[in-house]
């Protein structure tokens, strides 16, 4: 195993030993909650269980919990959940953070010792899990799923950004390895002083998300005629998603194409204000499963204005659904979108370029349709199985943390 100069470990994707392992996933958010972290963990856990591993989940109690198909699948495959106390996350009332003593987890793991622990979130539950795993000598890996330090500027608390960066550095550097979703995030975490890291990307379910699920009746409900443009956004309706950029972009599109419609799928603190200021926008709320896939496939242009996402699963879901994505050259777009080939992307500071790209798609149906077709073809290559392969290898075949310290002391560059 070797590492490059930014702390990112360079490793081949190889099958683990083939032995059935016990892997514990610790997260403050988990299905049936709807967000990028929960979505990623859903595919991760199911993929690991299909390989025969025993997967145990430690998570907070969610508000209004109910059984879901996912939980039924977990039970069927003999995996277990340990639910701890959950309290509302400020600014994200529907999400909760976990409260748990390290001693509780240490006792739990002394009775049923995991071969590896993966901590997906850096809240109080994550801190307790890292402490318990370290004290028990269990290999522990963390994931950098969310740019919380960058969120602070969107909530009037930009002065906390350095403090949050310091906290993130402390948290992740207590684990043997931090998994990041893109090469750009590897650079960001290196700048924060987090090391070592390894890029672990995301797949997309191309059976669920498919252009074949386009629903003309739904488009008619949206008030569209056959050649009208459906501009789509899917995600949290919140300030950190840069939604004002999406609104400005759509209004420019509508100035040239009055029959275009803007459909914003999701929920969040901005929903009420959007509904009041733009009563003509279509706000269907949170959609799941096949209904979500139908909404994706019924769109034409997908706007992803976020500048804070670490990945953005919605980008690859939109590609799989055959949409023409407009995004900034960051997160998933930086990895998977080739400008004017399978999508459109603008540099991070270039808001006007973002709008211009969307206008070109709206004005040039031939370009839009070519990009939509190529996006679907490229999404078919983004298989979750390869990502599960890599995850399995990384968390089950990592050297102890002092191995990485020895590499640094010997002058071998880390990413």
């Amino acid at each position: 195993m070797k590492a490059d100069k930014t702390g990112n470990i360079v490793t081949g994707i190889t099958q683990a030993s083939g032995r059935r392992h016990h892997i514990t996933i610790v997260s403050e958010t988990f299905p049936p909650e709807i967000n990028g972290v929960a979505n990623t963990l859903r595919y991760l856990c199911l993929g690991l269980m299909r390989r025969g591993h025993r997967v145990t989940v430690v998570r907070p109690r969610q508000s209004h919990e109910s059984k879901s198909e996912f939980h039924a699948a977990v039970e069927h495959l003999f995996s277990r959940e340990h639910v701890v106390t959950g309290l509302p996350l400020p600014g994200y009332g529907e999400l909760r953070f976990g409260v748990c003593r390290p001693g509780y987890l240490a006792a739990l793991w002394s009775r049923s010792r995991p071969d590896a622990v993966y901590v997906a979130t850096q809240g109080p539950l994550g801190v307790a899990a890292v402490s318990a795993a370290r004290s028990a000598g269990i290999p522990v890996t963390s994931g950098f799923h969310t740019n919380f330090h960058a969120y602070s500027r969107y909530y009037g608390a930009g002065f906390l950004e350095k403090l949050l960066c310091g906290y993130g550095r402390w948290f992740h550097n207590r684990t043997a390895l931090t998994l990041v979703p893109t090469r750009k995030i590897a650079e960001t975490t290196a700048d924060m002083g987090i090391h070592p890291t390894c890029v672990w990307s995301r797949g997309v379910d191309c059976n669920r998300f498919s252009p074949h699920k386009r629903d003309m009746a739904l488009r008619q409900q949206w008030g569209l005629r056959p050649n009208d443009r459906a501009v789509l956004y899917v995600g949290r309706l919140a300030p950190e998603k840069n939604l004002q950029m999406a609104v400005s972009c759509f209004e420019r599109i509508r100035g040239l194409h009055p029959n275009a419609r803007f459909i914003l799928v999701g929920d969040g603190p901005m929903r009420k204000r959007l509904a009041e200021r733009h009563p003509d926008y279509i706000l269907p709320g949170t959609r799941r499963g096949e209904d979500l896939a139908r909404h994706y496939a019924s769109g034409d242009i997908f706007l992803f204005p976020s500048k804070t996402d670490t990945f953005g699963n919605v980008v690859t879901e939109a590609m799989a659904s055959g949409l023409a994505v407009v995004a900034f050259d960051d997160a998933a777009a930086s990895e998977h979108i080739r400008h004017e080939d399978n999508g459109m992307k603008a540099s991070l500071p270039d808001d006007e370029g973002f709008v211009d790209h969307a206008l070109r798609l709206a004005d040039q149906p031939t370009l839009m349709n070519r990009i939509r077709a190529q996006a679907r073809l490229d999404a078919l290559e983004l298989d979750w199985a390869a990502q599960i392969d890599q995850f399995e290898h990384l968390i089950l075949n990592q050297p102890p943390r002092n191995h990485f310290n020895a590499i640094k002391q010997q002058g071998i560059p880390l990413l």
Side-chain angles (χ1 to χ4, degrees):
M1 183 178 289
K2 62 182 180 179
D4 61 21
K5 65 182 180 181
T6 68
N8 190 25
I9 296 173
V10 179
T11 179
I13 299 176
T14 60
Q15 191 74 21
S17 64
R19 180 170 73 87
R20 184 175 184 260
H21 292 87
H22 178 193
I23 299 169
T24 292
I25 308 292
V26 181
S27 178
E28 316 271 350
T29 181
F30 202 72
E33 292 174 332
I34 298 178
N35 57 67
V37 180
N39 181 57
T40 296
L41 295 181
R42 174 181 182 275
Y43 285 105
L44 172 62
C45 290
L46 290 175
L48 291 171
M49 289 188 291
R50 286 170 182 147
R51 288 169 175 264
H53 296 301
R54 177 186 172 197
V55 179
T56 302
V57 173
V58 181
R59 63 168 180 84
R61 186 171 303 282
Q62 299 171 359
S63 58
H64 311 296
E65 278 197 31
S66 63
K67 287 286 184 181
S68 68
E69 291 181 3
F70 177 75
H71 291 144
V74 169
E75 290 172 355
H76 176 69
L77 290 165
F78 307 103
S79 290
R80 298 188 61 187
E81 286 187 314
H82 296 279
V83 180
V84 303
T85 301
L87 298 175
L89 184 66
Y92 287 77
E94 71 276 18
L95 300 181
R96 305 174 81 79
F97 64 89
V99 179
C100 175
R101 293 181 296 104
Y104 168 81
L105 296 176
L108 177 69
W109 293 339
S110 69
R111 296 191 299 270
S112 180
R113 184 181 177 88
D115 294 299
V117 173
Y118 178 66
V119 182
T121 54
Q122 56 195 51
L125 176 58
V127 172
V130 171
S131 296
R134 283 167 57 98
S135 66
I138 300 170
V140 56
T141 302
S142 58
F144 193 91
H145 288 263
T146 307
N147 269 320
F148 278 120
H149 65 284
Y151 283 14
S152 60
R153 70 190 73 153
Y154 291 91
Y155 288 89
F159 61 92
L160 292 176
E161 187 166 353
K162 286 187 178 180
L163 180 65
L164 292 171
C165 280
Y167 172 78
R169 179 170 57 250
W170 169 81
F171 175 85
H172 289 286
N173 284 347
R174 297 180 73 229
T175 67
L177 176 65
T178 298
L179 305 186
V180 298
T182 68
R183 288 167 290 183
K184 280 203 169 187
I185 293 297
E187 295 170 2
T188 297
T189 50
D191 290 341
M192 291 171 65
I194 296 172
H195 56 80
T197 66
C198 182
V199 173
W200 175 59
S201 190
R202 310 289 186 258
V204 63
D205 186 346
C206 288
N207 292 319
R208 166 159 289 179
F209 300 105
S210 168
H212 299 299
K213 297 181 180 180
R214 193 172 182 86
D215 188 332
M216 300 311 295
L218 179 59
R219 286 176 61 87
Q220 288 175 2
Q221 289 178 25
W222 292 343
L224 293 164
R225 298 173 303 188
N227 293 322
D228 291 338
R229 307 284 183 265
V231 180
L232 193 71
Y233 167 88
V234 177
R236 182 168 166 79
L237 305 182
E240 72 273 9
K241 298 298 184 180
N242 199 23
L243 277 180
Q244 189 53 52
M245 178 76 248
V247 168
S248 298
C249 183
F250 174 74
E251 292 301 331
R252 293 273 296 277
I253 292 173
R254 184 160 62 174
L256 298 174
H257 301 275
N259 293 323
R261 294 290 183 269
F262 196 14
I263 303 95
L264 297 101
V265 179
D267 208 346
M270 290 184 67
R271 182 177 180 178
K272 181 179 179 182
R273 186 171 66 181
L274 284 166
E276 290 172 349
R277 294 186 178 183
H278 305 280
D280 53 326
Y281 287 6
I282 299 165
L283 302 167
T286 299
R287 299 284 157 162
R288 303 171 186 264
E290 290 300 309
D291 191 23
L292 174 61
R294 187 170 61 103
H295 277 70
Y296 267 119
S298 301
D300 300 303
I301 298 170
F302 186 83
L303 301 183
F304 187 69
S306 175
K307 298 183 180 183
T308 60
D309 275 58
T310 57
F311 189 77
N313 293 295
V314 295
V315 168
T316 50
E317 290 170 357
M319 292 174 66
S321 302
L323 274 67
V325 176
V326 183
F328 288 101
D329 188 11
D330 196 35
S334 70
E335 300 281 305
H336 298 301
I337 289 184
R338 298 182 304 279
H339 184 58
E340 296 185 350
D341 183 20
N342 64 354
M344 306 287 272
K345 59 184 179 181
S347 64
L348 276 172
D350 190 8
D351 289 355
E352 191 61 31
F354 183 98
V355 174
D356 288 344
H357 297 332
L359 288 171
R360 279 191 64 197
L361 291 173
D363 289 341
Q364 301 177 32
T366 301
L367 172 66
M368 180 180 70
N369 291 332
R370 177 176 60 77
I371 284 176
R372 291 175 59 187
Q374 188 62 50
R376 170 65 181 179
L377 288 174
D378 290 341
L380 291 170
E381 302 296 320
L382 304 179
D383 185 23
W384 265 111
Q387 304 308 323
I388 304 301
D389 252 353
Q390 187 190 24
F391 180 90
E392 181 186 42
H393 175 80
L394 287 168
I395 69 165
L396 293 173
N397 295 278
Q398 56 175 279
R401 182 168 180 83
N402 59 13
H403 169 87
F404 299 112
N405 292 334
I407 289 176
K408 289 175 66 182
Q409 291 167 6
Q410 293 167 19
I412 300 173
L414 296 177
L415 191 74

